């Protein structure tokens, strides 16, 4: 149905937020890969921040003339993201 909205939105993070090097000797390729991870995370985090700000304003003020419900957000990590903390 075109008017149905999701109750929940899932975001799967591919790039880890944290970095746990296998050893203190980090190579240039590891640094480049981490830079790429951070660039992807920065873009995703900026988009999520904007969406969450809009959702907070809708929850606080509503939208005139419409029934509003803001979906719940769930963020999960992929299995390659390193140890959980």
């Amino acid at each position: 149905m075109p008017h149905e909205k999701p109750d929940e939105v899932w975001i799967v993070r591919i790039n880890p937020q944290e970095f746990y090097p296998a050893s203190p000797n980090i190579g240039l390729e590891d640094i480049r890969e981490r830079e790429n991870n951070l660039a992807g995370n920065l873009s995703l985090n900026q988009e999520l921040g904007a969406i969450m700000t809009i959702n907070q304003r809708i929850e606080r003020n509503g939208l005139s003339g419409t029934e509003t419900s803001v979906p719940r957000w769930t963020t999960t990590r992929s299995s390659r993201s390193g140890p959980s903390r």
Side-chain angles (χ1 to χ4, degrees), residues 61-82:
N61 304 322
L63 292 175
S64 61
T66 63
E67 181 181 323
T68 62
S69 66
V70 176
R72 186 171 70 101
W73 292 82
T74 302
T75 303
T76 185
R77 293 189 279 183
S78 69
S79 61
R80 62 175 263 218
S81 65

Side-chain angles (χ1 to χ4, degrees), residues 4-35:
E4 289 189 28
K5 295 180 183 176
D7 295 326
E8 184 173 63
V9 176
W10 281 54
I11 298 162
V12 179
R13 290 186 185 273
I14 303 298
N15 298 326
Q17 291 282 92
E18 303 89 16
F19 180 60
Y20 303 102
S23 75
N25 301 322
I26 300 171
L28 186 57
E29 187 61 33
D30 294 325
I31 293 170
R32 287 187 180 136
E33 183 176 342
R34 185 62 186 147
E35 286 176 342

Side-chain angles (χ1 to χ4, degrees), residues 15 30 42-43 45 47 52 55-56 59 69 71:
N15 298 326
D30 294 325
L42 178 62
S43 177
N45 290 338
E47 291 294 326
M52 293 172 98
N55 285 348
Q56 288 170 352
E59 285 179 335
S69 66

